[in-house]
Amino acid sequence: MKRLIAILAAAMMLLTACTSGGGSASVPAASAGAEQSAQGTCAFTDSLGNHIELEQPPKRVAALLGSYAETWLLAGGEVVAVTQDAYDERGLELPKETVNLGANQQPDLESLFAAEPDLVLLTPDLDGQMALKDSLEAAGIPSAWFKVETFADYLNMLKICTDLTGRSDLYQKNGLDIQSDIDAAIASVPEGDGPSVLLLRAYSSGVRAKNSDNIAGAILKDLGAKNIADSDSRLLEDLQMEAILAADPEFIFVTTMGASQEAAHKSLDELLHSDPAWQTLTAVKEGRVDVLPKDLFHYKPNARWGESYQMLAELMYGNGETA
């Protein structure tokens, strides 16, 4: 219930308005666009608080993150330009004329301009994309910045996108219906204190602890788990064995990052055998060390958020169904 209230509150804060008839768009009175003719005008607020107004619903959208390209497609839209991760990480099948902008960390600005987008979807989490902000503004290309780390974030973005495409049915199918699966997973959590967990992220260069400010961490928190890095921030800088032994987590969950999954798994294996103390932990002794699927816990799950919740609920509590 708390989760549902939080999501509804977030949706209430969403300032999105599109009109396709002769009325005027519902935009703040202080906005310059409020005085213009509203034939097809669309207005919304992105994750950075920027107010974006479009004279008409966008038809040529460029997405500078594979997950955002997928979200726009889930909203019923089409993309004219994407970054390479749309193919490598999402496996999207796109028309051959779709412009490939290269790596999402450093999208090709010249190719982006050549695609002539009427809206660009970006993330403020990548410096290479933030560096494009002034150039896009100077070129008069509308840009919207989204941060998506929780289901509520995804739901907000999807609401904006489906408002722009006019596909409220897809907001229901790819958003609200998924919320039902999440509610079922949360309902399966037994009453009382949840299990203690250590959340790790494995890279080719090593392993670090993570708190709840990421996809897997947020889901664990919603499911009642106690992430030991939330109460001991020292673990975020250094995996202090003394602190981990004191907490003795019941579960260890691992997400992987980087192009080489083999290298990430090797880093994890080296960590677990770097100190005999690791083998004394309850989670290790009882076989509760799980490497989580990258597509559900590192990449943004989008229409698969329900699967992410249900998987962790089953791992911690034995089932992903409602009690």
Side-chain angles (χ1 to χ4, degrees), residues 191-225:
E191 294 185 3
D193 293 335
S196 59
V197 304
L198 171 62
L199 177 61
L200 300 174
R201 179 171 292 171
Y203 310 78
S204 59
S205 57
V207 181
R208 303 195 68 170
K210 301 295 293 183
N211 56 20
S212 297
D213 68 350
N214 57 87
I215 291 170
I219 295 174
L220 286 167
K221 187 174 183 178
D222 284 345
L223 292 172

Side-chain angles (χ1 to χ4, degrees), residues 228-268:
I228 65 174
D230 284 341
S231 56
D232 190 345
S233 60
R234 296 174 302 168
L235 290 172
L236 301 177
E237 299 179 3
D238 180 36
L239 284 174
Q240 300 182 17
M241 200 67 232
E242 184 178 349
I244 295 173
L245 286 171
D248 193 19
E250 298 167 70
F251 292 88
I252 297 176
F253 294 116
V254 186
T255 61
T256 60
M257 184 176 180
S260 175
Q261 290 299 286
E262 182 179 350
H265 281 265
K266 182 179 179 181
S267 294
L268 175 63

Side-chain angles (χ1 to χ4, degrees), residues 95-151:
K96 62 181 181 180
E97 61 269 22
T98 304
V99 177
N100 189 330
L101 303 173
N104 57 25
Q105 295 93 341
Q106 293 289 336
D108 187 303
L109 185 60
E110 183 176 348
S111 297
L112 178 59
F113 284 167
E116 299 182 337
D118 52 13
L119 178 64
V120 182
L121 307 177
L122 311 94
T123 174
D125 293 329
L126 295 175
D127 292 340
Q129 294 197 20
M130 287 298 292
L132 303 180
K133 188 174 187 295
D134 291 342
S135 296
L136 291 171
E137 289 180 356
I141 300 176
S143 306
W145 304 81
F146 293 98
K147 290 179 66 70
V148 178
E149 292 292 348
T150 66
F151 177 69

